[in-house]
Amino acid sequence: MDFKLVVLCICGFASAYGNFYIGEANFDFTPGYTDQYQGCCKISDVNGCDCRIYCFFCQQNESVHDDSDTYYDVAEAMCLRNFHGLAVVGSAHEHTAMRTYIYDNNLDDTTTCVPRYGFWIGVDDRRVEGDFVWLDETVKDGYCYDNGDYDCWEPNELNNNTNKDPVHGQDCGQLWFRPGRSDGNCDDEYCDVRPKGAICEIRIPHCDYADYGYDDTALDFCYTAA
């Protein structure tokens, strides 16, 4: 199902496409995430080095892909096309930022935002079963952070349940928001059984917003750290 656009961000970001504004018409959220955009927030001092911007989307349309693309593929492609990719949960700071924004904006609502209980994030084990790899691996040398020491997983996950996909099992990662089950921890999920929301990220190495032509004063922090 599609949901109405409720938040527009007026913040600019420079990329290979030139200067543009998050949430405006020159972003391509299709297929699947048209009218699902729910705004962005920022965090600083990721492992004492970098900054992040996270952008949030409610659940994708259920008929967003053909036989060659999974629900996860569609979300990953949309994030790569418009941002730097699906979000990586590399620290407690990052995890808290995502969960706080979701709760503060009622994006955990299973009636209006995520009826299938979660948001795609950038981790999967599709190359080697059981070896979940964060999608930042190809750029890790260019950014000074490392998600290897932080465990965001829900207790008793990863379980690779095969009930709904006996061939592949659960190979794709989500932040799981299911009442009575999980309050936004990481979970392995079927890549192509249930549509999900998505969390995309923009990485700002060394927090050099000006070098990227970006005015970060237009964004609120995801949360205020204690």
Side-chain angles (χ1 to χ4, degrees), residues 194-210:
R194 305 179 182 104
K196 301 284 178 177
I199 308 172
C200 306
E201 74 174 16
I202 297 168
R203 309 179 193 101
I204 311 294
H206 309 291
C207 299
D208 291 332
Y209 288 96

Side-chain angles (χ1 to χ4, degrees), residues 46-207:
V46 177
N47 287 343
C49 181
D50 294 336
C51 291
R52 297 282 183 280
I53 296 167
Y54 299 119
C55 298
F56 299 80
F57 297 81
C58 284
Q59 183 172 300
Q60 61 207 130
N61 188 288
E62 294 207 20
S63 49
V64 298
H65 62 291
D66 56 30
D67 292 339
S68 63
D69 293 320
T70 67
Y71 285 124
Y72 187 85
D73 290 332
V74 170
E76 182 179 19
M78 184 274 292
C79 287
L80 285 170
R81 187 164 58 245
N82 296 292
F83 308 101
H84 286 158
L86 284 163
V88 170
V89 186
S91 67
H93 181 32
E94 294 165 284
H95 197 185
T96 298
M98 295 177 210
R99 289 197 291 188
T100 300
Y101 188 92
I102 287 168
Y103 280 126
D104 285 353
N105 292 277
N106 299 315
L107 304 186
D108 61 314
D109 191 312
T110 57
T111 301
T112 59
C113 189
V114 283
R116 297 300 185 94
Y117 308 118
F119 298 83
W120 295 124
I121 54 174
V123 64
D124 69 74
D125 72 341
R126 291 184 289 183
R127 282 167 290 184
V128 179
E129 180 61 44
D131 184 10
F132 273 79
V133 177
W134 291 96
L135 299 184
D136 67 333
E137 65 165 355
T138 57
V139 299
K140 188 175 293 184
D141 290 342
Y143 301 91
C144 42
Y145 71 103
D146 181 5
N147 59 284
D149 295 331
Y150 180 67
D151 181 2
C152 67
W153 298 98
E154 181 70 23
N156 301 316
E157 302 292 343
L158 314 150
N159 65 359
N160 196 38
N161 188 301
T162 58
N163 289 343
K164 296 184 180 297
D165 187 344
V167 175
H168 301 101
Q170 295 179 316
D171 290 341
C172 294
Q174 67 169 337
L175 278 195
W176 190 22
F177 289 86
R178 183 160 187 168
R181 298 286 297 277
S182 178
D183 60 355
N185 288 324
C186 299
D187 172 55
D188 58 335
E189 172 63 299
Y190 303 106
C191 299
D192 202 31
V193 172
R194 305 179 182 104
K196 301 284 178 177
I199 308 172
C200 306
E201 74 174 16
I202 297 168
R203 309 179 193 101
I204 311 294
H206 309 291
C207 299

Side-chain angles (χ1 to χ4, degrees), residues 9-14 19-21 42 53 204 208-220:
C9 181
I10 58 171
C11 37
F13 179 75
N19 293 319
F20 56 81
Y21 292 88
K42 66 182 179 182
I53 296 167
I204 311 294
D208 291 332
Y209 288 96
D211 287 352
Y212 286 77
Y214 189 85
D215 179 9
D216 66 306
T217 61
L219 276 177
D220 291 331

